[in-house]
Amino acid sequence: MHVQLTHAIYYAEVHLVFCSVVWLAAWALTSLPGPSATTKHWIWAATALNFVLPVGAVVDALFASHISWATPLGVAGVLGVIISDNSALAASLAAVWLVGALAMLTRLWARILRERLNNEPVAEALHPEPRFKADGIDVKFDEIGRGPAVTGLFRSRISLPLGIDRVLSERELKSVLLHELTHARRRDNLIRLLYEASLCALWFHPLVWLAGSRLALYRELSCDESVIREGHGEELVSALAKLARSDEASLLRATASSFLGLRLSRLTSAPPSKPRFLANALLSACFAVALAAGILATIAHTACCFVAQV
């Protein structure tokens, strides 16, 4: 048990070290101008997922006996032995992690419950909700929930605040709807839930928190890009400006308003005159190399532990 605990701690350390290196690569690559926000969104989604998917452990478990070139990472190994040898320290660290994980789970459950209560139809007979479909996705005007918003994980629905059609013009409303349709088609609620679930386990790692912030930012910017491609960028700018006014602020979702300044800056900048296929391909390739290097580096320093156990 002592040896297994040492190996588990050691693997977790090495895995998180090289996941952090991949995070730094993602930060540097997505800071480059040129590639699309959509490509950057998927890079941050992969970066966040990399923290909780120990791909290297699967490779180690299956092929460790064939990886003769693996060498231990000295500092991480020493720390694992120190923690394993000190039962009080190991128990204290486990207790701190458990308290943090439970607190994060409670936070996540409260958020899900609050959104579910806000999105439940109340007294539909008294307040009928007009509905229609956009690109096969249900759209409703909701008197209670804040919006515009997308609800549901697998069967997404779009909720628009009642009265928004009186504030926005038809083209402005269409631009808002195009933005929300991108969220719905891409299953952004599911991606967000997977990220928040991983945060419950890795609440102690600051880069995991920052990955969530970058993911949320590019989630909004990439949806704005879809509106620009449809030729409604100016209308979305106008719609956001109207919804951000103090007397209409209740019609703008808080998560969207938090990036309002940057979104407006991107929307009002001149769109690129040429397709960015090459820039997107190069960015994706560079990140794929960084991700593969991180996984291989983890394997190079952990396979020896799996060999020692068999």
Side-chain angles (χ1 to χ4, degrees):
M1 184 66 180
H2 171 80
V3 174
Q4 290 178 340
L5 178 60
T6 302
H7 285 167
I9 295 172
Y10 171 76
Y11 184 87
E13 291 177 78
V14 175
H15 172 70
L16 291 178
V17 164
F18 289 108
C19 283
S20 299
V21 173
V22 172
W23 185 98
L24 292 173
W27 182 278
L29 290 170
T30 56
S31 297
L32 297 173
S36 69
T38 302
T39 301
K40 294 177 180 180
H41 165 267
W42 288 116
I43 284 177
W44 280 111
T47 300
L49 194 61
N50 184 48
F51 278 100
V52 292
L53 280 183
V55 177
V58 177
V59 177
D60 286 345
L62 295 176
F63 305 107
S65 59
H66 303 286
I67 306 176
S68 57
W69 39 266
T71 57
L73 198 62
V75 177
V78 171
L79 185 58
V81 172
I82 292 173
I83 295 174
S84 299
D85 285 342
N86 191 326
S87 300
L89 177 60
S92 298
L93 291 175
V96 170
W97 174 83
L98 184 60
V99 169
L102 289 175
M104 293 300 296
L105 280 171
T106 302
R107 173 177 174 266
L108 175 57
W109 178 249
R111 195 268 295 173
I112 294 173
L113 187 61
R114 183 173 61 253
E115 291 188 356
R116 179 175 295 179
L117 290 174
N118 286 339
N119 290 318
E120 283 182 354
V122 177
E124 286 195 31
L126 297 176
H127 303 286
E129 298 176 344
R131 298 172 182 264
F132 62 94
K133 283 185 179 291
D135 198 19
I137 297 174
D138 288 334
V139 181
K140 67 175 182 177
F141 289 91
D142 192 350
E143 187 174 4
I144 298 165
R146 287 176 178 263
V150 175
T151 61
L153 296 177
F154 298 100
R155 186 183 175 187
S156 299
R157 296 174 296 278
I158 296 175
S159 174
L160 299 175
L162 199 62
I164 191 173
D165 52 336
R166 294 192 295 271
V167 176
L168 305 181
S169 69
E170 184 178 346
R171 287 182 62 85
E172 289 169 344
L173 183 57
K174 183 176 181 179
S175 70
V176 171
L177 193 57
L178 286 171
H179 178 99
E180 299 303 326
L181 279 170
T182 304
H183 283 307
R185 287 192 295 260
R186 201 168 56 192
R187 302 290 189 273
D188 278 346
N189 283 350
L190 179 59
I191 296 173
R192 178 188 176 191
L193 180 61
L194 291 173
Y195 163 74
E196 290 183 335
S198 69
L199 189 59
C200 293
L202 298 174
W203 58 267
F204 55 87
H205 200 311
L207 296 187
V208 179
W209 288 87
L210 290 174
S213 176
R214 294 290 91 186
L215 183 59
L217 170 62
Y218 286 109
R219 181 166 58 230
E220 296 301 323
L221 294 180
S222 63
C223 290
D224 288 345
E225 278 187 343
S226 66
V227 179
I228 294 173
R229 285 196 298 268
E230 295 293 333
H232 288 77
E234 292 183 3
E235 287 79 6
L236 184 58
V237 171
S238 177
L240 290 173
K242 287 183 179 180
L243 296 177
R245 293 185 317 195
S246 58
D247 55 335
E248 307 293 350
S250 62
L251 300 180
L252 186 62
R253 191 169 176 83
T255 52
S257 61
S258 59
F259 302 116
L260 189 57
L262 186 53
R263 290 180 64 192
L264 288 173
S265 175
R266 294 290 184 94
L267 284 165
T268 54
S269 62
S273 56
K274 297 181 180 180
R276 292 177 286 181
F277 298 126
L278 180 58
N280 291 334
L282 286 174
L283 184 67
S284 300
C286 289
F287 176 74
V289 170
L291 182 61
I295 294 173
L296 288 174
T298 301
I299 296 170
H301 295 294
T302 56
C304 51
C305 293
F306 284 84
V307 173
Q309 295 181 68
V310 296

